[in-house]
Amino acid sequence: QTLLLTGANSYVGSHIIQQALEKGYHVRGVVRSESSTAGVRDKFSAHSDKLSFAVVPDITKPELFEPAFANPAKPITGVIHVASPFVLNVEDNKRDLLDPAIGGSLAIVKAASAYGKDVRRIVVTSSFAAILDVMQGTRVGYTYTEADWNPMDYETATGAPGGAAYCASKALAEKAMWDYVAAEKPQFDLVVLNPAWVFGPHVGGVKDTKHLNESSHMLYSIIGASEVPGFDFGGFVDVRTLGAAHLAAFEIPEAGGQRFLMGQHFDYQSVVDSLRSELPELKDKLPEGTPGKVPESYAVDGSKAEKVLGIKYIPLSESMKDSFVQFVEADKAV
Ligand code: NDP
């Protein structure tokens, strides 16, 4: 069977493709320009017979997905929707975040309804951002679960700071998909993953630390920082765990119709503490902060994904080590 995956050139998408190909799936990757295919092909040259591409220049237009669903080597039985703008500094919240996120999500469900007669499930990379109530800050004592929804509406999001607008874009995009499925009752169901910060290694390594995806960039910026970064997200999941979760979400029947918060506790003090012992060569390049003093914040409960999807979280120390080994290697190569 073939999985159609949007955002095939993304950090998260690469891990899903890698694990899907290794499990024997065919993958059709959707990218928005032909030039994005080369890098993906290179990463997976060992499986070139099972990987094909569709170029969809505007993911908000359902009709542009028609060729993506046409003539697969094996029927497209699942869609994994990863593509969404993940940038925190934008000029125009509507144009750069909200409209592509919401429009892209609606277009993929409409396109799967219209052209994907064999599609039985769509797995969506939403975010913990769609769960978190940004305005509540660190919310000490509170535990976020799948029952929580980011309450920010479209109008408020248009004038909000970039980070809050990004969070709203993910919540509104996810809601649009649930609403569509509830109203239209298509031939497929939905499974939504809500990962907190995603960290961990890049498939094929990091080529250039100047052009990293947003979460890797945040992490990399700790090197040479004068202070330990302040609180942002109180949870993280390793990208390899998230990749496996997408396939489990497609395969496990009981997951249908559910959302899954994916994350374990995260704070930057724990990052620098663990890197100091795991990678001594970085010791003098990291802010020290107050070793062992973990700042207080809300908790995230990612246990439903362990129970239903059978995933096992990779610990922070391992994820950080594997992330920073790649950053250091990339910088050495320059
Ligand atoms: P990347 O920046 O690597 O990937 C983003 C992907 O979305 C790229 O394939 C990009 O394509 C595509 N995309 C962005 N904007 C558009 C647009 N307007 N039209 C079409 N495609 C677009 O980041 P990640 O891999 O981290 O993000 C992947 C997904 O994971 C996103 O949905 C993100 O919200 C979600 N996520 C990520 C987290 C993290 O910490 N990394 C945390 C929680 C959720 P192109 O290269 O052409 O721009």
Side-chain angles (χ1 to χ4, degrees), residues 7-13 32 36 59 82-86 100 125-128 166 170 195-198 213-215:
N9 62 327
S10 66
Y11 168 56
V12 170
R32 59 173 155 172
S36 295
I59 60 162
V82 182
S84 198
F86 184 15
T125 320
S126 181
S127 174
F128 174 62
Y166 165 72
K170 294 300 286 183
W197 273 131
V198 182
N213 68 296
E214 195 74 38
S215 57

Side-chain angles (χ1 to χ4, degrees), residues 31-292:
V31 286
R32 59 173 155 172
S33 67
E34 189 60 47
S35 61
S36 295
T37 60
V40 188
R41 273 185 220 282
D42 282 356
K43 280 184 192 139
F44 304 109
S45 51
H47 295 282
S48 55
D49 54 325
K50 286 187 282 174
L51 181 63
S52 62
F53 292 92
V55 176
V56 176
D58 182 349
I59 60 162
T60 66
K61 299 212 163 75
E63 64 279 13
L64 299 187
F65 281 94
E66 187 171 4
F69 284 95
N71 306 319
K74 313 251 176 203
I76 293 175
T77 49
V79 174
I80 303 188
H81 180 51
V82 182
S84 198
F86 184 15
V87 273
L88 301 175
N89 278 321
V90 296
E91 277 175 20
D92 181 336
N93 290 352
K94 253 162 102 80
R95 185 197 62 197
D96 303 331
L97 286 170
L98 295 160
D99 293 353
I102 300 164
S105 294
L106 267 176
I108 195 76
V109 283
K110 287 182 183 168
S113 301
Y115 315 120
K117 66 175 174 44
D118 297 313
V119 174
R120 58 180 170 81
R121 177 162 289 178
I122 299 188
V123 178
V124 184
T125 320
S126 181
S127 174
F128 174 62
I131 285 182
L132 174 74
D133 185 348
V134 184
M135 305 314 282
Q136 304 267 3
T138 53
R139 211 173 182 183
V140 178
Y142 190 77
T143 299
Y144 282 102
T145 70
E146 293 81 3
D148 293 295
W149 270 96
N150 176 340
M152 190 174 281
D153 63 27
Y154 185 94
E155 279 320 304
T156 313
T158 56
Y166 165 72
C167 291
S169 80
K170 294 300 286 183
L172 295 165
E174 188 192 324
K175 261 187 207 137
M177 294 180 102
W178 286 121
D179 288 349
Y180 178 89
V181 168
E184 303 296 328
K185 305 196 174 25
Q187 78 282 15
F188 53 81
D189 65 5
L190 277 189
V191 181
V192 172
L193 302 181
N194 299 84
W197 273 131
V198 182
F199 298 129
H202 289 243
V203 173
V206 170
K207 303 247 153 13
D208 172 4
T209 52
K210 290 194 179 62
H211 297 98
L212 290 165
N213 68 296
E214 195 74 38
S215 57
S216 303
H217 170 73
M218 292 292 294
L219 201 57
Y220 173 74
S221 313
I222 302 177
I223 301 178
S226 56
E227 284 175 19
V228 175
F231 179 81
D232 43 41
F233 262 17
F236 100 100
V237 58
D238 188 280
V239 67
R240 295 162 288 190
T241 309
L242 183 59
H246 279 83
L247 296 174
F250 174 65
E251 291 164 356
I252 294 172
E254 310 82 84
Q258 301 196 55
R259 64 201 306 240
F260 294 91
L261 190 165
M262 298 208 57
Q264 296 175 285
H265 169 83
F266 177 79
D267 72 89
Y268 290 101
Q269 183 66 54
S270 300
V271 172
V272 294
D273 289 355
S274 107
L275 286 173
R276 252 171 231 294
S277 61
E278 298 276 350
L279 295 176
E281 61 179 305
L282 277 181
K283 218 169 166 180
D284 301 328
K285 298 183 181 151
L286 298 170
E288 192 167 3
T290 313

